[in-house]
Amino acid sequence: MRILVIEDETAIADFVQRGLQAEGYAVTVAGDGVEGEQRALHDDVDLVVLDVMLPGRDGLAVLASIRRVKPELPVVMLSARATVDDRVAGLDGGATDYVTKPFSFDELAARVRAHLRRPRQRDATTLSAAGIELDLLGRTVHRDGVELRLSAREFDLLAYFLRHPDQALSRQQILSAVWGYDFDPGTNVVEVYIRYLRRKLELPGRPAPIDTLRSVGYRLTTRP
């Protein structure tokens, strides 16, 4: 597995590079946003660790470029900006995950492993199942030819289900994958957004294909 680290602080870049190499990954480091963007777009990499505050081109701009060209490439943001607004900006901008500095390398490595384990459709620009077609580049969704208008979070939630059709997904898995960081364990944000998504997926004679699995979680069912 090939990982690109885009980080301008040499000590942090070296620390992350050595740690990930010890985990068995091939690691390349870019020291500014311009070089990092070029490597992310043109090199064959499996995951990017991306700082937010970079010289030349900031991390959110680099992230936007990656999402336009490689929508399925996992990107873990690494930043000293730790407010809720900063994390939301990164995740809504397309980050797969968001880790704040100072950080534990063991946690960063665990998140990298988790994202690299997840099946992804390399270079795919559309996801489809159960009569639903989702365009990752155009950010459009159709079901049985009918266009559906989804919010950014509903779109990301549906994309996650479409990447795992007919699989039982726990509430915690969905939180981690779609929201990218830990919420209060008592939050009902997953339930709320699944309810929103079901309403929008329903068509006359065609119920939403998202099933609730008691004591387990949810499943996008593709079978009739």
Side-chain angles (χ1 to χ4, degrees):
M1 290 288 188
R2 297 163 298 278
I3 296 176
L4 171 63
V5 177
I6 307 176
E7 169 62 66
D8 66 313
E9 294 186 48
T10 303
I12 294 177
D14 289 346
F15 171 67
V16 173
Q17 182 179 32
R18 289 196 306 270
L20 291 175
Q21 286 174 336
E23 295 276 326
Y25 302 111
V27 183
T28 303
V29 174
D32 62 68
V34 175
E35 179 191 2
E37 180 179 271
Q38 290 301 308
R39 288 185 175 275
L41 298 183
H42 301 295
D43 292 357
D44 185 13
V45 297
D46 297 292
L47 182 141
V48 175
V49 176
L50 175 63
D51 189 17
V52 173
M53 294 179 285
L54 293 166
R57 190 163 172 78
D58 73 78
L60 291 176
V62 174
L63 175 63
S65 295
I66 292 172
R67 282 293 162 260
R68 284 193 296 270
V69 178
K70 297 182 176 181
E72 291 294 296
L73 180 64
V75 178
V76 177
M77 302 295 284
L78 189 62
S79 177
R81 295 179 177 176
T83 69
V84 171
D85 287 345
D86 290 326
R87 297 198 300 269
V88 168
L91 294 164
D92 280 350
T96 312
D97 208 339
Y98 196 106
V99 177
T100 58
K101 301 175 183 176
F103 61 93
S104 159
F105 176 77
D106 288 342
E107 179 185 0
L108 175 63
R111 290 174 183 260
V112 166
R113 289 193 298 271
H115 295 305
L116 289 175
R117 278 198 303 268
R118 289 175 183 151
R120 62 190 179 99
Q121 302 177 15
R122 292 182 65 88
D123 301 323
T125 60
T126 61
L127 301 169
S128 60
I132 302 164
E133 184 168 295
L134 181 147
D135 183 337
L136 291 163
L137 294 180
R139 302 285 292 186
T140 59
V141 179
H142 292 79
R143 187 179 189 203
D144 295 345
V146 177
E147 184 172 3
L148 310 177
R149 296 191 177 277
L150 306 184
S151 69
R153 191 66 74 189
E154 291 164 352
F155 183 94
D156 293 341
L157 177 59
L158 180 59
Y160 183 62
F161 275 117
L162 289 171
R163 289 187 181 101
H164 303 84
D166 295 315
Q167 294 182 32
L169 302 172
S170 71
R171 178 175 165 278
Q172 188 57 48
Q173 283 178 298
I174 296 169
L175 263 180
S176 176
V178 178
W179 279 263
Y181 55 94
D182 294 333
F183 274 64
D184 178 344
T187 184
N188 66 342
V189 67
V190 172
E191 291 81 356
V192 168
Y193 272 85
I194 285 179
R195 185 163 64 247
Y196 293 161
L197 190 56
R198 280 173 168 158
R199 289 174 182 167
K200 294 185 178 182
L201 289 174
E202 287 178 352
L203 295 175
R206 293 272 280 162
I210 299 174
D211 296 332
T212 298
L213 307 178
R214 187 177 297 276
S215 301
V216 177
Y218 300 92
R219 178 180 60 210
L220 177 74
T221 300
T222 63
R223 295 180 295 274

